[in-house]
Amino acid sequence: MKTLRKRLSFVLALILLLALAAPVAFAADGDMPFDVKPPQNVSVDWLKENDSPTTMALSFSIDNQMLQALTALDQARNTGL
């Protein structure tokens, strides 16, 4: 019974480690059709408990090149391409 628990804990630990490594393994350099840039303007406004005590509105700017690529991607998904 003890060896079964040890094996099971080892297998579960291995699965967790593999799950952590998966995003790194599948990330490819230069896959994006644009350069990822941080937003220039970021604003968070507390909505004064209109919905819930922690409701906030987040606003941020996005680079034009990123916006064009994301818009084209959204249009391609909507048209089924």
Side-chain angles (χ1 to χ4, degrees):
M1 188 69 172
K2 262 188 172 180
T3 58
L4 178 64
R5 286 184 183 174
K6 285 183 180 181
R7 287 182 186 172
L8 182 61
S9 63
F10 177 75
V11 169
L12 290 176
L14 185 62
I15 290 171
L16 284 174
L17 287 174
L18 289 175
L20 290 174
V24 176
F26 290 108
D29 294 333
D31 250 11
M32 303 293 260
F34 52 85
D35 294 330
V36 179
K37 299 176 185 171
Q40 296 297 317
N41 304 309
V42 178
S43 171
V44 178
D45 295 319
W46 179 52
L47 297 180
K48 299 178 184 160
E49 300 181 10
N50 287 338
D51 185 30
S52 72
T54 58
T55 302
M56 298 179 196
L58 173 68
S59 303
F60 58 92
S61 63
I62 188 170
D63 185 55
N64 285 337
Q65 185 183 15
M66 290 173 59
L67 179 62
Q68 290 171 353
L70 293 173
T71 303
L73 180 64
D74 191 42
Q75 288 175 348
R77 285 183 181 162
N78 289 337
T79 58
L81 295 177

